[in-house]
Every structure is written in structure tokens, then in C-alpha cells.
Amino acid sequence: MMLPVVARTRAELHDALSGAGKISLVPTMGALHGGHVQLLKHALPLGDTLVASIFVNPTQFALGEDFTTYPRTMDEDLRLCAEAGVSVVFAPTLETMYPHGIDGGVTIDPGPLGTILEGKTRPTHFRGVLTVVAKLFGLLEPDFAVFGEKDYQQLTLIRLMAQGLCMDTEVVGCPTVREADGLAMSSRNRFLDYRERKQAVALSRALDAGLAHAADGAESVLAAAREVIDGATGIDLDYLVLTDPFLGDLALEETAEGLAARLLIEGRVGATRLIDNAGLTLGS
Ligand code: PAF
């Protein structure tokens, strides 16, 4: 099996991408799992050259978060990338991504949407995400960039950034991949011990319960999801909200029947923060 070319600097990237044609990019922080493989599969037919970036971006972690312990599994990542048809892996040095240091330089302000939900407990997170994604778009000039719907607020903000800042990259969302019991795949799942892993499934169960009540309207959806969490052990709930698909209306009302909506949840299981979400149509 041919391993992908690995580029670590701007010059190496330039060489690796000469004659690449249309580029499809899957940005990652490594520790690849089945969810990433699905993103790569989704991205492969979109362009002529499939590129994965692997960079644990320090600016999207706040002090005390898991930046230093975030899993780093480069050899296994390269093997998975090769199997998925990746031609080039961009695994930049810190200096390549942050030539002015991580505390200096220009950053992207996510605006009000960056301050709600995940942004409420992690106020600097989305600034870090958008800044690094903007840099990746600048360096690679991808025609397509594929992101998972699991990080729904991130996907929504990246879409808004690409449109709002007139970037030439089409941002493509890819459905969440789940374990057999429903838990959304995440690099952080490997932090869960045996008991926490069993408890964590309450998040996706809550979403399923909510979806099963879509026909009854917004209040029923939230009540059903809430009941699952109330009856579960080991989940420290941060938020459970029903909103429109653009995350614009956090107070969707019963009168919104027939509307597309998104149910989002975040909870801590032990020391691990997990998020999940699902789309639904109210009144159907
Ligand atoms: O979703 C992720 O893995 C990261 O937030 C991303 C988009 C690669 C930016 O660092």
C-alpha cells in the first residue's frame, strides 16, 4: 500500500500539490476513526486530489483543556489515509500555521453564533477553529472541504465564514457516523473508561427519543429527550436545545410545526465532554 505524500511546510505543500487539479480537503486533528474515514470517502469523488490535513490546533483549546493529552496517532492515521485514497497529508509544523506565534497575528471573529452553545463554555474555541480553517483554505485553496455534521455548530460557522468572507471553497457536510449502540464516533471516545462508555450512549438515546416525538411538536421533542437524560446516570448535561437548522432561533416554538429543526446536546461523561445532534422535521 502506497502511503500518501506528507507535506509539513508551505514549500513541501506547494510541491506536493503541483498539477493536483481540483482539490478536496478533509481537515482533521488526527486520531482518525471511522467517522473520519467516512469524511474521506465522501470527499474522494468530489475532486481530483484528496488531501487530509492533520494538525492539533492549539488555539481552539482553552487553558486546562485537553490539548496536551489529545491523542496523536500519526502512523495509524497515515495508514487509514492511504486506505481511503488520500494522496497528500498536510501535517504542518506549528511555525507553518502560526508564523507570528499562537498569541499574535490576525484571527477570525466568529460573531454571535460563536458565543452560544459550545461557545458559551468555550468562549475562545470557535475563534481558534475558524482561524485555523481559514489558514488551511488559504494554504491549500481547496475546491471542496468536508466536515462532519457531528460538530454541527462548527460546520455552520465554517459555512458562514466561507460565504461571508467570499472564500472559493465549497463547504460540504457529512452525516455523523455512529457506533453499533448509537454513540457518535469521536476522537475523544477513547478517553472513556468501560463504565463511562456505557453511560455515554444516553446522549444519542436522548436524541432518538426526541426524534420519535417530532410529530408532536417542539415541546414534546425536548421533554422526551430530557426524560432520557434525567433517567441516565453519569451525564453532566451542559445543554439540550432545539433550534432551526442555522442555529438562529434557540427558542423554537410549538407553532413551528412542519419546520426543519436541529436537536443538539452536550454533556460531560467523567472528564470527557461529548456532543451530538440530529436533524428532524417538526410536525412530521
Ligand atoms: O473538527 C476538527 O477536527 C477541528 O476542529 C478542525 C476543523 C480540523 C480544525 O482544527
Side-chain angles (χ1 to χ4, degrees):
M1 184 175 45
M2 275 268 288
L3 286 180
V5 173
V6 179
R8 294 187 53 81
T9 62
R10 212 171 165 152
E12 286 174 11
L13 185 66
H14 188 260
D15 288 349
L17 291 183
S18 76
K22 281 197 184 302
I23 294 171
S24 38
L25 169 67
V26 177
T28 81
M29 297 204 298
L32 303 188
H33 51 68
H36 293 110
V37 171
Q38 202 51 41
L39 299 182
L40 294 168
K41 281 191 179 149
H42 206 85
L44 184 65
L46 297 178
D48 304 309
T49 300
L50 177 58
V51 181
S53 64
I54 298 180
F55 180 66
V56 186
N57 172 36
T59 65
Q60 67 189 76
F61 294 81
L63 229 77
E65 284 186 354
D66 54 356
F67 172 66
T68 45
T69 54
Y70 198 85
R72 286 154 170 92
T73 56
M74 190 52 116
D75 291 344
E76 175 65 2
D77 291 351
L78 288 179
R79 194 185 62 73
L80 283 175
C81 282
E83 276 176 15
V86 173
S87 310
V88 177
V89 167
F90 182 46
T93 61
L94 190 64
E95 294 68 34
T96 301
M97 295 308 284
Y98 291 98
H100 305 293
I102 56 170
D103 295 323
V106 174
T107 59
I108 305 272
D109 178 355
L113 190 48
T115 64
I116 59 169
L117 303 174
E118 270 209 271
K120 210 166 179 176
T121 42
R122 310 179 75 197
T124 56
H125 175 65
F126 288 116
R127 186 177 66 207
V129 170
L130 293 191
T131 300
V132 84
V133 171
K135 286 167 185 270
L136 290 170
F137 285 7
L139 285 160
L140 286 124
E141 297 180 8
D143 297 274
F144 304 94
V146 178
F147 298 86
E149 285 183 355
K150 192 195 82 83
D151 295 299
Y152 193 76
Q153 190 176 6
Q154 166 174 287
L155 171 63
T156 306
L157 276 163
I158 292 170
R159 275 208 175 106
L160 281 175
M161 173 183 76
Q163 288 160 4
L165 298 184
C166 312
M167 294 171 165
D168 274 338
T169 299
E170 186 179 327
V171 176
V172 179
C174 182
T176 302
V177 182
R178 299 182 179 280
E179 304 286 356
D181 64 359
L183 179 71
M185 287 192 186
S186 161
S187 303
R188 289 194 167 95
N189 290 353
R190 62 187 85 192
F191 293 145
L192 301 170
D193 66 23
Y194 179 78
R195 191 170 51 112
E196 291 166 348
R197 171 64 187 79
K198 287 214 164 315
Q199 293 169 334
V201 81
L203 296 185
S204 59
R205 294 232 169 98
L207 296 181
D208 287 345
L211 262 58
H213 284 75
D216 308 325
E219 252 175 50
S220 302
V221 168
L222 281 169
R226 183 80 220 196
E227 198 180 318
V228 172
I229 296 299
D230 288 347
T233 48
I235 307 283
D236 181 9
L237 187 68
D238 189 7
Y239 60 75
L240 171 65
V241 295
L242 188 64
T243 161
D244 71 70
F246 307 101
L247 307 182
D249 182 0
L250 292 177
L252 209 71
E253 288 182 3
E254 197 71 28
T255 50
E257 280 184 2
L259 279 184
R262 204 90 197 173
L263 184 61
L264 300 104
I265 191 164
E266 173 175 339
R268 255 168 226 280
V269 185
T272 308
R273 196 185 49 80
L274 297 175
I275 56 175
D276 202 351
N277 70 87
L280 62 155
T281 307
L282 290 171
S284 70

